[in-house]
């Protein structure tokens, strides 16, 4: 099969980590007989330098014309970079917000997976971790409290701020369908998280999720209140497969879930719309402190490329091959500096590699 991949290398470590993901994709293409054609798209600081805008209309058109977009990261040092002396709508991150909005990317997926080999970085007790956990947070990204009407006003001499949380049934239905679709590709369990004991928006959420669940008899589901879910994530993370939730709850829970893996730099993410299109990127930022040193960990970006194969191209076997290769390379003892063990005696049992070295090891394993 032939696919057109838009590539936003971006700023800082972005170009370094994306180069490794492309190397891995090329290896997959060769082994499985696919063709991946790449088109470089400017976004972020590099686009400001070249065009004066963080994202041009031509760049949006190029992203739209792609089957999927693979991204590194954008932005610079927020204290020292001249990009941050520009008005907010001209700064690097304005490009990303514009792209998400232009392409209607309403579903955000963030896996939280504990690697056996990196178990020591997990802050949870060994009996809680057991043989590890593997969950996916599916967060609604374009509605809810962050997009509702807001105002601050004087009410009888008292400053009063109001934010509104609105969801309509269509917004809930489309994200719920996405959540159940993803669960079908995994262990077939959805935990829908809300605050239905208090919020009307959550009661509608629950009603619509139940309707959608009726179309997925092969997927089991449960409802969980958000406060309970926050506790369960640290008490028994192994119970979760897909966590389906609204924007603000998902914002908070996805950070909590990624932290319990202990290695946030390993985590990929995807933002999807209601077609097969998706924007795939590592959870971390542009790490200006290590840019150009050849030491950035490319694994989150490589795993984002695997998500692209799975969710935009339906190439499950190819995605499995990348994920397996990453696990094998960790098992072989290769580590970038950010995931090196802290204790001296354990450091002797692993081999430190740079960005390119890690990419090469993963390609060798895929071959
Ligand atoms: P950051 O994630 O870039 O860096 C935080 C720390 O993690 C740093 O010490 C960095 O060296 C380390 N780190 C991050 N990714 C790494 C990797 N792949 N390998 C090894 N170490 C890694 O967060 P920050 O410093 O708060 O932000 C820096 C810039 O990135 C800012 O301009 C911010 O706006 C931007 N940012 C962009 C995105 C995005 O493109 N989606 C997301 C978050 C932050």
């Amino acid at each position: 099969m032939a696919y057109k991949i838009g590539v936003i290398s971006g700023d800082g470590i972005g170009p370094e980590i994306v180069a490794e993901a492309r190397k891995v994709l090329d290896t997959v293409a060769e082994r499985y007989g696919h063709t991946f054609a790449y088109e470089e798209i400017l976004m972020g600081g590099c686009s400001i330098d070249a065009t004066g805008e963080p994202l041009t209309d031509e760049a949006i058109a190029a992203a739209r014309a792609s089957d999927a977009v693979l991204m590194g990261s954008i932005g610079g040092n927020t204290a020292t970079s001249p990009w941050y002396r520009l008005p907010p709508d001209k700064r690097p991150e304005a490009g990303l917000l514009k792209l998400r909005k232009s392409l209607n990317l309403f579903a955000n997926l963030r896996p939280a997976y504990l690697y056996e080999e990196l178990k020591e970085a997990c802050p949870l007790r060994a009996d809680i971790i057991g043989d590890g956990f593997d969950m996916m947070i599916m967060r609604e990204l374009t509605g809810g409290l962050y997009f509702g009407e807001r105002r601050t006003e004087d009410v009888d001499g008292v400053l009063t701020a109001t934010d509104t949380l609105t969801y309509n049934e269509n917004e809930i239905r489309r994200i719920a369908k996405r959540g159940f679709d993803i669960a079908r590709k995994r262990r077939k369990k959805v935990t829908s998280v809300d605050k239905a004991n208090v919020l009307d928006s959550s009661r509608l959420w629950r009603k619509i999720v139940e309707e959608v669940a009726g179309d997925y008899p092969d997927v089991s589901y449960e409802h969980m209140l958000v406060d309970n879910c926050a506790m369960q994530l640290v008490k028994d993370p192994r119970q979760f497969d897909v966590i389906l939730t609204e924007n603000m709850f998902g914002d908070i829970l996805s950070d909590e879930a990624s932290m319990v893996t202990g290695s946030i730099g390993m985590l990929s993410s995807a933002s999807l719309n209601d077609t097969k299109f998706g924007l795939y990127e590592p959870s971390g930022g542009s790490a200006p402190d290590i840019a150009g040193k050849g030491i950035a960990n490319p694994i989150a970006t490589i795993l984002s490329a695997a998500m692209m194969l799975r969710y935009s191209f339906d190439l499950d076997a190819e995605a499995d091959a990348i994920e397996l290769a990453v696990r094998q390379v960790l098992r072989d003892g290769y580590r970038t500096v950010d995931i090196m063990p802290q204790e001296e005696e354990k450091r002797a049992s692993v081999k430190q590699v740079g960005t390119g070295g890690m990419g090469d090891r993963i390609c060798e394993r895929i071959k």
Side-chain angles (χ1 to χ4, degrees), residues 13 17 71-78 84 93 96 100 265 281-290 295-298 338:
I13 60 169
I17 53 182
M71 181 180 142
S73 48
I74 52 153
N77 184 314
T78 49
Y84 295 92
E93 55 273 24
L96 184 55
R100 284 183 179 152
E281 55 172 321
S283 295
S286 62
D289 53 333
I290 57 166
I295 59 171
N297 186 346
D338 56 304

Side-chain angles (χ1 to χ4, degrees), residues 143-153 160-165:
L145 201 59
Y146 297 172
F147 288 87
E149 276 176 39
R150 68 190 81 245
R151 63 181 178 280
T152 303
E153 62 197 338
T160 306
T162 307
D163 295 287
T164 49
L165 198 178

Side-chain angles (χ1 to χ4, degrees), residues 244-300:
L244 168 68
T245 192
E246 60 92 70
N247 203 343
M248 182 180 61
F249 298 160
D251 189 8
I252 298 167
L253 294 176
S254 60
D255 268 22
E256 185 189 356
S258 60
M259 268 319 292
V260 299
T261 69
S263 46
I264 196 164
M266 302 277 300
L267 301 174
S268 50
S269 84
S271 301
L272 312 172
N273 63 18
D274 50 12
T275 69
K276 278 282 175 190
F277 181 88
L279 170 71
Y280 298 85
E281 55 172 321
S283 295
S286 62
D289 53 333
I290 57 166
K293 294 185 179 164
I295 59 171
N297 186 346
I299 292 180

